[in-house]
Amino acid sequence: MPLKIRAEAIHDVEGLRRSLQNAVELEHATLPTYLTAMYSIKDGSNKEIAGLIKSIVMEEMLHFGLACNILNAVGGAPRINTPNFIPTYPGPLPMGIGEDFLVTLKKLSLEQVHDTFMRIEEPEHPIEFESLAAEPEQYDTIGQFYEAVKYKIRKFGPGIFTGDPALQVSGVFPQLVPVHDVETACQAIDVIIRQGEGTATNPFDSPGELAHFYKFEEIYRGKQLVPDATAPNGFSYTGPPIPFDPAGVFPMADNPDTTKLPAGSRALFLSQQFNYTYTSLLNALHQTFNGQPSRLDTAIGVMYSLRLQAQELMQTPIDAAGQTAGPAWQYQPVQ
Amino acid sequence: MSYLDQPRLCFAGRFQADPSTVNNDPTHFNNATFQPNFQQPGPGATNGWWNPRGTGGWRFYGCTVTAVDFEGGVADPVIGAAVSDADDRVSAKIVDLDPLQQGVSEIWGFQVRLVGVDNKELLRGDYRVAAFSDMWGRGAGSSAGDTSAGAFWQSVLENVVWGDVSCSPFLTALRAATQQDRLSIKFNVDGYNMSSNDPEFTTGRVVGAIGPYFEGEPAWFTIGRHLVPSAPIVNYMTCIVDSVRGRVVADFGNALQTTIPGGPVNPIGTLSLAIGASTPTPLGDLTYTDPDWYGKRAGIQEFPVGPAELAALESNSLVLLQSQAGGPPNVLLTENPGGWYLRADCFVFRLNPGESAEVELRVSKYGKPLAGADILLGFTNGQIDNSSFLINAPADALQFPASVTTDALGRAVFRLTASNPGSPRNYLDGQVYGVGYGLKAANVGLLTPNPSDFVSVLVWTETDFPPEPTWWQHVQPVLQQYQNLYPRMGNIVHLGEYDSVVANLPALQAVFTMDRHNPNYMPATRDLSGSKLAMILAWMKSKGPDGKPLLGVQPANS
C-alpha cells in the first residue's frame, strides 16, 4: 500500500502556501536517505545502481525547485534554512506520511532499497495502472496530495499568482522552469507526480525514463524493467542485469548521529564539518529561492563538497568491527 | 587604527588547513614523468608528501571570543560568541603562490562571522585575500615540517554587515569606531598537526584579534613600532603607541616560543618591555606565564606610559629585555637603528602578460610616517626556492622602477608590469619573481631585517592557442596536470579524461568562469594562466560533429 498522508485540507491561498511549504519539505526529506546510499558506493563500483539513484536524486532536487517556484508564484516564501526544516533520522516523513514508517540513513543494500526507498516511492497503484479515483478534495497519499494542490490551484484561479517573477529560479535542470500562472503551476506538479509515480498507465514518466519506484525495484530485483508482451501489464523485470556488489559499498554504521560520537574523535570532527556544510547548503538554497536565484551555482558547489565529506566520513572507522562513520544530516549553525 | 587599537576583541580556537601536498614538489608538475605513487603519502621524491588527498579547504573550527578590551571595560555579552566562517557556501581555500614559493600561502574566499550564543549572527565580513607572514620555529620542542612552525595572517574584513548588536556595548562601540565597513583582523597559527592518523590531522591552534580599521591604513600590517629579534628564541613583532590613552600596546602573539608545538609559552625568565637598550626605561613585565595571556588575550599586552615615556618613545627604540641573574638584561628584540621601518602592504601578486599591479610601500620612523624617503627596488631571491630552477628570469618580463620616494604620508606606490616570460621552467607555467626593497638611507641595499618582507610575483606564460583548440592537442595536457596534482578531485571529475570532463561540462564551465575570489573558483590553486583559461573556455563552447567539444587526434605516445 502507498504511504498514507495526514494533512490539512486546503481552504484558501494561505492553506495552499502551507501545503506547498510541506511539499518543499517533503521533496527535501527524501534526499538525505537517497544520498547517503549513493555516497556509500565506492568510486567505480556498482555503477548502474549509482546511476539510477543519481537520476532519482536529480529529479527530487528538480521537484524541490519546482515546489519552491510554485510557492513563490502564489506569493509565499519557502523557508528552507530553519532547524525544524530538517527531518530527524530515523524518523517520519513530513505531513505524518506513513504514520509509523521511519526513514533511515543506511548504506546501500537491497534491503534498504526495498524497505525504505520503494516504500517512499510506492505509487498509488503500482503496476496496476488504474486511474486515480479519489475526490481531489480529500487525499491520503502523496500522489493525491499533489493532485489536490493542483485541483485547488485551478479552483482558486489566476488571482493567486501574486508572487514576484524575479523570485523564480530556472536553469541547471531543463525542466526547472518559471511558474507564473495556473498552467505552468499545473505542468510543474504534473512533472513531480509523473517522475515519482509514472503515469497512470505506464511506468515510464518519459521515453526511456522510469518513474522512481520502478527504478528502485530494478535495483532490488537486479534486472532492468523491459517491455514484455507475455507479462500481464506489458513489462517485466527480465532485462539486462543490474548487479549489486556489497564489497563496493563503504561499511557505514546505520543512522549516523553526530551527538553519539566521542569527543576529540576524527569522526566527530568530520561529522560536524559535514553538518555545517549541509546547513550551508540549506542556507544557500534558502537564498536562491528567496530573491537571489544566482546563488544556485553556489548551492551546487556546496553539494560537491558534501559528497567529498560524506565519503571521507565513510572511510573513518568508528568501531573495532570496522564499521565507519557517515553523514548525519543535522543542523549546525556554526563550526 | 588596527586590531591593536580599542575596541579590540580576542578569539581562540582551531583552524583547519587541508592543502594537497602532491604539488609541493616542482617535478610533480611534469606530466611526462608523473608516477602514481606521487598521489600516495610519503616523501616527495617518490611520493606525495603528507596530505596528497587534501581538498585545499581552510576553516575556523570551534573558535570563540575570549576577551574584549574597550572603554566599557573587559566584560561583554559577546564573550563566548562563535567566530565562524561562511555558512552559505563552500569553505575558503588555502593557496600557494607557486611550488617554488610556498612561503606566502594565501586564504581565498574566506568569510568571518561572529555568531552569538543564541545563534544570532552579530557580524559578517569578507576576509580580504592575505598571505601568512613571519613563519618561524615557534615550537621549542622542535619537530619536522610545519608542526613546530608559527606564523600569522593579517588582513581586513570588508563589506562588514552587522546584525543586531544592541545587546553588546562592545560591538556597538566597535561599529562606531571602525570605518569603511571594514575591520582589522590578525591571527596567529601554530601547533599544526601533520600526522594523518591523528584525530586533529590538518588542524592547529589559532589565536587572534579583531579591531577597528581606519581609512588610509594598510590592510596587511600595522603602522607602528616593529621589533627585530636579536636571538632565535623570539620573532618579529609589532607594537603601537597610543598617546591618547597613554598605552603601549604590544603584540607578542607570534614572538615567543612555546614549550611544545601548540603548547604554553616557554618560560624564559622575567621579560620586560622597555624604552632604550643601553639605559632602558622599563615599562613593565610580561605576564606571559598566565595561561590566559596567550589563550584568551592573544599575547597582546598593554603597558601604561606617562608623558615622559611618550616623549622618550619619539626618538628611542622599544626593546624586549630578558633578565639575567647578576648582570645586565639580554636585549631580545629591538627596533631598527633610527627606528625606521619599511614594508609593502600587499606582497603577493599574480599577473598575466600585459597586466600590471600597484605595490604600496610604507616607511615610518619611530612609528611616524617618514616623508621623502628613497626606497631602492630590485630583484631578490628572498625566500623563494631557486634550487631547481633559475628564478627572476627573464628579468625584462617584470618591469618596475629602480627606486621610489615616499610622499607626505610616508607612502610610495610603484607599478609592476608583466610581459610574456616565455616558458623558462618548461612544465611549470610562467616564472616566479622576488622584488626586494630597501631604505636607501639605511644603507642596507635591498634588505629589510625581516626575511618575509619582500614582494612575490607569479608571471604567467602567454601561450598561443589556435581559435579552435582540441582536447588532445591543447586541453588534455593542461587538465592532466591538475588531475595528477589534486587526486581528491578524482572523486568528482577525472580532469584528464575527455568523457568525464564532457559529462561535467556545465559545472566546470561555471567554476572556471567565476570570479577568482569565489571559494568555488576552479582551479582552487588559482594558478591557471589567462591564456590557458581562455583556451579551455573556448574549447568548452566548441562543438564537433557529435555536438561535443572538439576531441582532436590522440597523440601516439599518450
Side-chain angles (χ1 to χ4, degrees):
Chain A
M1 285 293 292
L3 296 174
K4 297 295 183 187
I5 195 167
R6 280 187 321 231
E8 62 171 288
I10 301 167
H11 299 298
D12 54 19
V13 70
E14 271 306 317
L16 179 66
R17 289 174 188 153
R18 281 195 297 277
S19 290
L20 287 165
Q21 172 70 27
N22 286 337
V24 172
E25 291 175 15
L26 172 62
E27 295 300 341
H28 162 265
T30 58
L31 284 166
T33 185
Y34 295 165
L35 284 171
T36 299
M38 193 177 97
Y39 294 156
S40 76
I41 299 171
K42 295 176 183 173
D43 279 353
S45 299
N46 292 304
K47 280 186 174 171
E48 293 87 352
I49 295 177
L52 284 167
I53 300 179
K54 185 181 178 187
S55 71
I56 294 166
V57 162
M58 298 293 276
E59 290 186 348
E60 296 293 356
M61 291 177 182
L62 167 66
H63 301 175
F64 174 91
L66 288 172
C68 288
N69 273 355
I70 303 169
L71 178 52
N72 271 322
V74 298
R79 293 180 307 279
I80 296 166
N81 63 345
T82 55
N84 56 11
F85 180 83
I86 304 171
T88 301
Y89 300 102
L93 289 170
M95 293 192 280
I97 291 171
E99 304 213 339
D100 54 358
F101 170 67
L102 299 182
V103 178
T104 53
L105 300 175
K106 294 183 179 177
K107 66 178 183 285
L108 175 68
S109 68
L110 299 184
E111 293 73 26
Q112 178 71 347
V113 170
H114 180 267
D115 297 347
T116 301
F117 301 171
M118 287 171 64
R119 190 99 175 88
I120 291 171
E121 301 284 355
E122 191 166 356
E124 189 65 17
H125 301 282
I127 308 300
E128 294 166 16
F129 310 127
E130 293 172 9
S131 60
L132 185 70
E135 163 62 43
E137 291 282 356
Q138 308 290 323
Y139 52 88
D140 62 2
T141 69
I142 296 171
Q144 288 176 3
F145 162 72
Y146 276 117
E147 291 289 352
V149 170
K150 201 168 73 172
Y151 176 82
K152 290 294 181 181
I153 286 173
R154 287 200 186 283
K155 188 173 172 184
F156 295 154
I160 61 171
F161 288 87
T162 58
D164 180 354
L167 298 173
Q168 294 295 312
V169 177
S170 59
V172 181
F173 308 100
Q175 289 168 292
L176 182 57
V177 293
V179 171
H180 50 81
D181 58 14
V182 171
E183 281 315 305
T184 48
C186 292
Q187 285 164 11
I189 293 173
D190 283 341
V191 167
I192 296 174
I193 297 174
R194 202 168 58 238
Q195 290 186 341
E197 299 193 350
T199 67
T201 57
N202 194 318
F204 289 85
D205 64 64
S206 60
E209 196 68 33
L210 273 178
H212 298 179
F213 176 83
Y214 306 102
K215 285 184 179 175
F216 283 134
E217 192 163 17
E218 282 189 328
I219 296 171
Y220 179 65
R221 293 177 181 252
K223 293 273 179 72
Q224 284 184 24
L225 180 63
V226 291
D228 181 352
T230 67
N233 294 299
F235 295 92
S236 66
Y237 292 98
T238 54
I242 300 175
F244 173 55
D245 173 16
V249 177
F250 293 116
M252 187 196 89
D254 290 350
N255 298 312
D257 181 352
T258 308
T259 64
K260 290 181 178 160
L261 293 168
S265 65
R266 187 70 177 172
L268 178 62
F269 172 77
L270 296 172
S271 186
Q272 289 176 334
Q273 196 165 89
F274 179 90
N275 287 343
Y276 191 66
T277 305
Y278 170 52
T279 305
S280 299
L281 171 62
L282 296 181
N283 284 331
L285 288 170
H286 185 83
Q287 294 163 2
T288 301
F289 290 101
N290 282 274
Q292 300 178 64
S294 65
R295 296 283 293 168
L296 188 56
D297 280 346
T298 299
I300 290 168
V302 181
M303 287 182 216
Y304 283 109
S305 284
L306 270 188
R307 180 191 155 106
L308 290 181
Q309 291 174 16
Q311 295 203 323
E312 192 169 358
L313 277 163
M314 290 176 180
Q315 294 172 75
T316 303
I318 54 167
D319 62 22
Q323 288 199 108
T324 66
W329 306 92
Q330 291 166 352
Y331 186 73
Q332 184 164 333
V334 295
Q335 74 173 357
Chain B
M1 294 181 104
S2 72
Y3 73 96
L4 283 175
D5 288 282
Q6 286 189 342
R8 174 179 68 247
L9 69 77
C10 296
F11 64 93
R14 311 276 307 164
F15 72 96
Q16 184 186 26
D18 188 30
S20 167
T21 54
V22 183
N23 70 358
N24 283 6
D25 191 317
T27 62
H28 293 177
F29 285 71
N30 188 351
N31 290 351
T33 57
F34 193 83
Q35 300 297 318
N37 258 13
F38 296 169
Q39 298 191 339
Q40 300 300 320
T46 55
N47 287 65
W49 299 105
W50 51 275
N51 193 28
R53 293 185 56 76
T55 59
W58 165 272
R59 297 175 175 89
F60 276 175
Y61 185 67
C63 293
T64 56
V65 176
T66 51
V68 297
D69 196 342
F70 73 123
E71 275 187 354
V74 293
D76 191 84
V78 76
I79 292 174
V83 182
S84 198
D85 45 27
D87 68 342
D88 57 3
R89 58 191 199 183
V90 299
S91 72
K93 299 292 180 292
I94 183 155
V95 179
D96 278 341
L97 179 67
D98 190 87
L100 306 188
Q101 173 47 311
Q102 300 178 32
V104 288
S105 305
E106 290 177 305
I107 303 170
W108 284 77
F110 192 33
Q111 201 173 53
V112 176
R113 299 187 305 133
L114 247 64
V115 182
V117 288
D118 56 0
N119 285 336
K120 290 211 173 104
E121 187 169 295
L122 299 166
L123 71 86
R124 93 164 50 198
D126 296 322
Y127 185 89
R128 195 159 171 187
V129 176
F132 72 70
S133 190
D134 291 20
M135 184 185 258
W136 69 306
R138 185 167 159 195
S142 184
S143 55
D146 295 338
T147 298
S148 62
F152 74 83
W153 269 275
Q154 182 171 344
S155 184
V156 292
L157 304 180
E158 300 180 301
N159 312 312
V160 173
V161 176
W162 298 83
D164 178 2
V165 297
S166 58
C167 64
S168 165
F170 169 82
L171 289 176
T172 303
L174 180 62
R175 183 179 186 170
T178 202
Q179 296 183 352
Q180 291 188 311
D181 294 325
R182 288 182 177 181
L183 291 168
S184 169
I185 180 170
K186 183 249 189 184
F187 48 83
N188 313 299
V189 293
D190 73 335
Y192 185 62
N193 191 311
M194 297 167 69
S195 306
S196 59
N197 294 325
D198 194 291
E200 297 192 330
F201 179 52
T202 67
T203 73
R205 174 170 67 174
V206 59
V207 177
I210 296 174
Y213 174 83
F214 262 24
E215 190 172 353
E217 293 283 316
W220 290 277
F221 75 99
T222 301
I223 294 177
R225 312 294 289 254
H226 295 266
L227 276 59
V228 176
S230 47
I233 59 169
V234 289
N235 197 29
Y236 299 87
M237 60 172 284
T238 303
C239 306
I240 60 163
V241 177
D242 184 339
S243 55
V244 176
R245 292 174 54 234
R247 295 279 192 282
V248 171
V249 186
D251 179 2
F252 302 97
N254 190 42
L256 300 183
Q257 285 190 317
T258 56
T259 56
I260 54 168
V265 182
N266 199 27
I268 51 172
T270 300
L271 301 177
S272 55
L273 196 66
I275 304 171
S278 49
T279 53
T281 305
L283 299 179
D285 290 348
L286 276 63
T287 56
Y288 74 93
T289 54
D290 174 358
D292 287 351
W293 181 84
Y294 188 67
K296 288 192 175 173
R297 294 191 295 278
I300 297 171
Q301 186 173 341
E302 298 201 349
F303 300 84
V305 285
E309 286 92 2
L310 286 173
L313 281 165
E314 302 259 327
S315 56
N316 289 282
S317 288
L318 271 171
V319 294
L320 181 71
L321 303 176
Q322 179 188 34
S323 294
Q324 293 275 89
N330 272 340
V331 178
L332 294 181
L333 287 152
T334 182
E335 291 180 76
N336 281 326
W340 67 271
Y341 183 68
L342 162 61
R343 216 196 92 151
D345 195 14
C346 186
F347 53 95
V348 181
F349 296 89
R350 292 167 177 76
L351 295 173
N352 280 297
E355 293 178 341
S356 67
E358 281 189 348
V359 183
E360 183 177 307
L361 297 160
R362 303 280 191 138
V363 180
S364 58
K365 184 176 172 67
Y366 294 116
K368 300 272 168 47
L370 185 62
D374 293 328
I375 302 164
L376 304 175
L377 303 172
F379 288 116
T380 178
N381 289 340
Q383 296 176 319
I384 302 171
D385 171 14
N386 63 350
S387 61
S388 51
F389 290 98
L390 187 65
I391 63 166
N392 293 336
D396 60 1
L398 186 67
Q399 305 270 346
F400 54 88
S403 67
V404 282
T405 303
T406 59
D407 62 15
L409 298 172
R411 184 162 39 186
V413 176
F414 72 92
R415 187 166 284 278
L416 295 167
T417 303
S419 56
N420 190 1
S423 299
R425 305 188 298 173
N426 187 6
Y427 47 81
L428 272 181
D429 194 284
Q431 180 60 287
V432 65
Y433 295 84
V435 178
Y437 43 80
L439 193 67
K440 189 176 179 188
N443 210 19
V444 288
L446 290 178
L447 285 177
T448 63
N450 187 337
S452 292
D453 289 350
F454 70 100
V455 177
S456 296
V457 189
L458 174 62
V459 178
W460 280 300
T461 303
E462 180 74 38
T463 313
D464 283 331
F465 292 107
E468 293 197 327
T470 68
W471 169 259
W472 283 116
Q473 276 60 52
H474 310 103
V475 181
Q476 200 276 344
V478 176
L479 294 186
Q480 181 66 46
Q481 194 180 56
Y482 287 97
Q483 174 167 326
N484 290 345
L485 296 171
Y486 309 102
R488 192 66 180 273
M489 274 299 293
N491 291 97
I492 293 172
V493 57
H494 297 282
L495 285 171
E497 298 170 16
Y498 178 85
D499 288 342
S500 182
V501 169
V502 169
N504 289 281
L505 211 53
L508 287 171
Q509 276 176 314
V511 293
F512 272 108
T513 51
M514 281 173 178
D515 184 285
R516 203 186 289 164
H517 293 83
N518 189 313
N520 257 131
Y521 175 86
M522 201 168 142
T525 41
R526 277 126 179 111
D527 59 350
L528 182 62
S529 72
S531 53
K532 286 179 178 168
L533 174 61
M535 177 273 291
I536 290 169
L537 294 176
W539 174 79
M540 286 176 167
K541 284 184 193 162
S542 70
K543 280 194 170 62
D546 58 358
K548 295 181 186 173
L550 298 169
L551 183 60
V553 180
Q554 182 170 4
N557 61 350
S558 73

